[in-house]
Amino acid sequence: MEAEAEARLLLQEARESIEAARSYRRELQQRLRGLQQARQQIRESAALTRDVLEQHFNDLKGTLKKLLDERLMSLLQEVDTIEQESIKPLDECQKLIEHGVSTADDLLREGESAICGDVEQHNEKLCSFTTKALHIQLDSLPEVPSLVDVPCLSAQLDDCLLTILRNQIFRHGTVASRPPVQLEEFVEKPGAILVRWCKVDDDFVPQDYRLQYRKSTASHFEDVYVGSETEFIVLHIDPNVDYQFRVCARGDGRQEWSPWSVPQIGHTTLVPH
């Protein structure tokens, strides 16, 4: 009998150990799933952050190139305008001088012909030449501007722009390892859920919070609360239906919202009154 009792006791202990091992294995597997979800969250958020950064900086490069091209075209047009306006009086002066050269050539040919002509027409040609020469005013010369009086174009390009841009670019953008606010608690209410959240970044000074939710079957989140409180009762909640919530915040004096918190599931089992 003692042997049978001892055998039953050993069998009972073995069964308890097996059940404890099963429970232990379940807990470990659950923790493995938790680790997998944590790893997935890190990798997916890192991939999304890379995409956001690359898109943002590609947009910046495109916009910056467009702005630089527009400024370059504006400066080139300014050079063209100054060049054209400065060349115009020189062209007019050149036409006047070329006309004077042509008149002088004609006068020279006529004077040489009068001097070298036959005796009968000698006096008549000389008289005509002298009269024409007096009317031309051979001592009147057009004014040609000196080089110091005409434009000499140049470009003034201050290298401090590169310094300013470099300093701004090196400070532009930050990467946060976690959002500054997180969902803290869900309290079941009749046909509603009381959602609480808290600030987890000590250096972040919130001005407003923004709470969104969606049914587990919906594809888009919608705003349900924007304000300075850290809790809100979300009404019109269907009982025994999972809802996904997320919250973000806006820093004091800022316009942009922070990254969203990790979405969490909330539900109520209490039917509305």
Side-chain angles (χ1 to χ4, degrees), residues 100-124:
V101 171
S102 176
T103 301
D105 285 342
D106 293 342
L107 192 63
L108 281 171
R109 284 194 296 271
E110 188 174 341
E112 291 170 353
S113 175
I115 293 173
C116 301
D118 48 1
V119 178
E120 295 179 359
Q121 298 178 341
H122 185 67
N123 290 338
E124 183 180 347

Side-chain angles (χ1 to χ4, degrees), residues 15 29-30 68 76 105 117 132 182 231:
R15 286 173 177 168
Q29 288 173 339
Q30 185 174 353
L68 288 173
L76 290 176
D105 285 342
K132 183 178 290 186
Q182 293 285 11
E231 65 179 35

Side-chain angles (χ1 to χ4, degrees), residues 158-208:
D158 193 345
D159 288 340
C160 75
L161 175 62
L162 289 177
T163 303
I164 294 172
L165 285 176
R166 186 181 297 111
N167 292 336
Q168 291 293 328
I169 289 172
F170 285 165
R171 292 197 302 266
H172 182 67
T174 57
V175 175
S177 60
R178 55 180 54 86
V181 292
Q182 293 285 11
L183 294 166
E184 184 178 28
E185 184 182 15
F186 298 100
V187 180
E188 295 186 29
K189 300 288 183 180
I193 301 175
L194 172 61
V195 184
R196 292 194 176 103
W197 54 89
C198 62
K199 182 171 72 78
V200 295
D201 184 350
D202 294 336
D203 297 329
F204 184 78
V205 181
Q207 174 180 303
D208 293 309

Side-chain angles (χ1 to χ4, degrees), residues 90-101 141-143:
L90 300 184
D91 290 340
E92 294 173 353
C93 184
Q94 181 172 337
K95 289 179 182 178
L96 185 61
I97 292 175
E98 288 174 347
H99 177 71
V101 171
L141 294 172
E143 187 71 24

Side-chain angles (χ1 to χ4, degrees), residues 22-261:
R22 285 199 183 102
S23 177
Y24 181 60
R25 183 178 63 182
R26 281 195 303 270
E27 290 294 333
L28 289 176
Q29 288 173 339
Q30 185 174 353
R31 280 161 174 73
L32 282 175
R33 286 192 292 271
L35 281 176
Q36 181 62 30
Q37 290 174 343
R39 182 179 288 106
Q40 183 178 357
Q41 176 173 299
I42 292 172
R43 294 194 182 281
E44 288 181 353
S45 63
L48 179 61
T49 301
R50 289 188 194 97
D51 292 341
V52 169
L53 286 171
E54 289 175 359
Q55 182 64 48
H56 177 74
F57 277 84
N58 284 334
D59 291 344
L60 278 181
K61 284 191 284 187
T63 303
L64 186 58
K65 182 180 183 304
K66 181 181 177 183
L67 291 173
L68 288 173
D69 289 343
E70 289 176 353
R71 181 57 181 163
L72 174 60
M73 290 304 300
S74 174
L75 291 171
L76 290 176
Q77 289 175 358
E78 193 173 339
V79 171
D80 292 343
T81 300
I82 296 175
E83 180 185 27
Q84 293 169 6
E85 291 178 352
S86 302
I87 289 293
K88 186 177 179 181
L90 300 184
D91 290 340
E92 294 173 353
C93 184
Q94 181 172 337
K95 289 179 182 178
L96 185 61
I97 292 175
E98 288 174 347
H99 177 71
V101 171
S102 176
T103 301
D105 285 342
D106 293 342
L107 192 63
L108 281 171
R109 284 194 296 271
E110 188 174 341
E112 291 170 353
S113 175
I115 293 173
C116 301
D118 48 1
V119 178
E120 295 179 359
Q121 298 178 341
H122 185 67
N123 290 338
E124 183 180 347
K125 287 184 176 183
L126 285 175
C127 182
S128 174
F129 168 74
T130 304
T131 303
K132 183 178 290 186
L134 290 173
H135 283 89
I136 291 177
Q137 296 179 332
L138 294 176
D139 58 346
S140 176
L141 294 172
E143 187 71 24
V144 176
S146 63
L147 294 180
V148 296
D149 293 329
V150 297
C152 181
L153 281 73
S154 63
Q156 286 75 51
L157 301 171
D158 193 345
D159 288 340
C160 75
L161 175 62
L162 289 177
T163 303
I164 294 172
L165 285 176
R166 186 181 297 111
N167 292 336
Q168 291 293 328
I169 289 172
F170 285 165
R171 292 197 302 266
H172 182 67
T174 57
V175 175
S177 60
R178 55 180 54 86
V181 292
Q182 293 285 11
L183 294 166
E184 184 178 28
E185 184 182 15
F186 298 100
V187 180
E188 295 186 29
K189 300 288 183 180
I193 301 175
L194 172 61
V195 184
R196 292 194 176 103
W197 54 89
C198 62
K199 182 171 72 78
V200 295
D201 184 350
D202 294 336
D203 297 329
F204 184 78
V205 181
Q207 174 180 303
D208 293 309
Y209 296 100
R210 181 181 179 187
L211 178 67
Q212 289 190 336
Y213 83 132
R214 69 178 179 185
K215 271 188 178 181
S216 57
T217 55
S219 57
H220 298 291
F221 283 92
E222 59 181 84
D223 286 342
V224 70
Y225 172 77
V226 175
S228 59
E229 300 296 328
T230 56
E231 65 179 35
F232 182 75
I233 296 180
V234 183
L235 302 174
H236 311 298
I237 295 294
D238 295 333
N240 302 309
V241 173
D242 284 343
Y243 287 81
Q244 200 171 31
F245 294 86
R246 66 182 185 180
V247 67
C248 67
R250 181 162 48 197
D252 191 22
R254 306 297 293 269
Q255 294 296 321
E256 71 278 5
W257 292 98
S258 73
W260 290 105
S261 67

